[in-house]
Amino acid sequence: NPYARDISSLRIVQFMFKLILFVAGTKVTVIGEDRIPKDTPVLYVGNHRSYFDVVLTYARCPGLTGYVAKDSMKKIPLLSSWMKRLHCLFLNRSDIKEGLKTILQGIDQMKNGVSMCIFPEGTRNEASDDTLLLPFKEGSLKMAEKTGYPIIPMSINNTRNIFEAHRPFIRSAHVVLEYGEPIYPKEFGAKVFKISRDAQGARLTWLKVTGGALRVKASLTYRAQNQDYNEKADQLRLYSGVKFRALEEAGAGSVVAV
């Protein structure tokens, strides 16, 4: 079972990463973990200050997550094999064509249910001030833009005080990982997950808006249950149990019946 194998690999690595943080004397405070949607892949986007950023964030991933790493990491024996098994991708920053192929691979992985994580600064930021960011590399957010899945911002604080601030020594430190609210792409997108009928026999299409907004009378083209549909959203229903209220507009993150 490939999924069971991947989850097993994920949990083993997470255990090891948590053990590394414990041995290093790292106290971890996590804020906003409940903001991560559990029913959809996401694109984690974080600042990058330390080698320990990956150790910290990967230990918290609730589901399968691949990281975008620099191409040179493919040359590290054993580690690169584990990274490939865990859906990590290797980005060649000096070759635009190869870099685009990597982003397209990430898009395919997200469509197959695997979350992705990227540090859009492209390298570790060695500034002494945690609030300063390097410019984001072009195309860093394409995986979310092209799939419609939400972006989860990550604020990683004080990890450089574990190692980089006083290398080659590792020191105990208190680090804070904060997850922001999901950010949905501006372009409209939605995921159909169920077709049913109401008490009067009218067909209902249940969907989650993943980007932009859906308005009453908007035209929808989608595929569900091996059939293609092209129709108007005559009514948007927000259900609570068996009761519902009609909406004029449903924003990103909303689950509605059309």
Side-chain angles (χ1 to χ4, degrees):
N1 185 325
Y3 178 77
R5 179 203 66 193
D6 290 347
I7 285 292
S8 177
S9 298
L10 170 69
R11 300 307 179 213
I12 290 170
V13 174
Q14 286 183 320
F15 172 79
M16 294 304 298
F17 281 179
K18 288 176 182 178
L19 182 61
I20 289 170
L21 291 169
F22 174 78
V23 171
T26 307
K27 179 183 177 183
V28 179
T29 297
V30 180
I31 301 170
E33 204 164 22
D34 57 332
R35 297 167 182 161
I36 304 173
K38 302 299 188 292
D39 59 347
T40 181
V42 302
L43 177 64
Y44 296 100
V45 175
N47 57 313
H48 195 17
R49 307 280 292 149
S50 168
Y51 292 117
F52 278 83
D53 293 339
V54 175
V55 177
L56 172 67
T57 58
Y58 199 79
R60 308 300 308 187
C61 294
L64 295 178
T65 304
Y67 276 57
V68 178
K70 56 185 179 181
D71 191 58
S72 60
M73 296 195 73
K74 280 198 299 188
K75 300 175 183 177
I76 304 175
L78 190 61
L79 176 62
S80 60
S81 299
W82 270 100
M83 290 178 71
K84 289 175 183 176
R85 173 168 287 189
L86 294 167
H87 304 282
C88 294
L89 301 175
F90 302 95
L91 181 65
N92 186 340
R93 299 191 188 100
S94 60
D95 188 324
I96 295 176
K97 188 175 180 181
E98 289 301 313
L100 178 59
K101 286 182 181 179
T102 301
I103 296 302
L104 292 175
Q105 281 182 272
I107 290 170
D108 286 341
Q109 290 193 169
M110 291 188 72
K111 288 180 177 179
N112 288 320
V114 178
S115 294
M116 296 299 298
C117 178
I118 191 168
F119 298 108
E121 294 170 285
T123 187
R124 282 180 294 110
N125 182 352
E126 297 185 358
S128 58
D129 186 348
D130 274 351
T131 64
L132 297 178
L133 294 175
L134 298 174
F136 283 14
K137 298 296 183 182
E138 188 175 353
S140 298
L141 307 181
K142 285 292 183 186
M143 287 183 280
E145 293 173 3
K146 295 299 182 182
T147 60
Y149 292 128
I151 296 167
I152 301 296
M154 298 187 299
S155 174
I156 306 166
N157 300 282
N158 210 38
T159 47
R160 70 185 302 272
N161 282 328
I162 301 174
F163 175 65
E164 283 78 4
H166 35 69
R167 65 174 71 197
F169 303 106
I170 290 177
R171 302 275 172 80
S172 60
H174 179 201
V175 302
V176 179
L177 170 61
E178 182 171 4
Y179 296 97
E181 294 288 346
I183 300 171
Y184 290 87
K186 294 180 181 178
E187 204 171 299
F188 173 72
K191 180 180 179 181
V192 176
F193 60 89
K194 185 171 71 171
I195 303 289
S196 66
R197 294 190 179 275
D198 65 11
Q200 286 70 45
R203 184 170 60 82
L204 297 175
T205 301
W206 295 77
L207 54 83
K208 180 173 183 176
V209 181
T210 58
L214 175 62
R215 297 173 180 83
V216 172
K217 302 300 181 183
S219 295
L220 293 173
T221 301
Y222 60 93
R223 185 174 180 80
Q225 298 180 341
N226 297 318
Q227 293 187 51
D228 292 316
Y229 295 90
N230 193 335
E231 54 194 25
K232 285 188 176 181
D234 291 325
Q235 189 180 50
L236 304 181
R237 299 182 180 182
L238 180 64
Y239 273 87
S240 177
V242 295
K243 296 182 179 180
F244 71 88
R245 61 186 177 91
L247 303 177
E248 289 296 316
E249 179 179 301
S254 301
V255 175
V256 294
V258 178

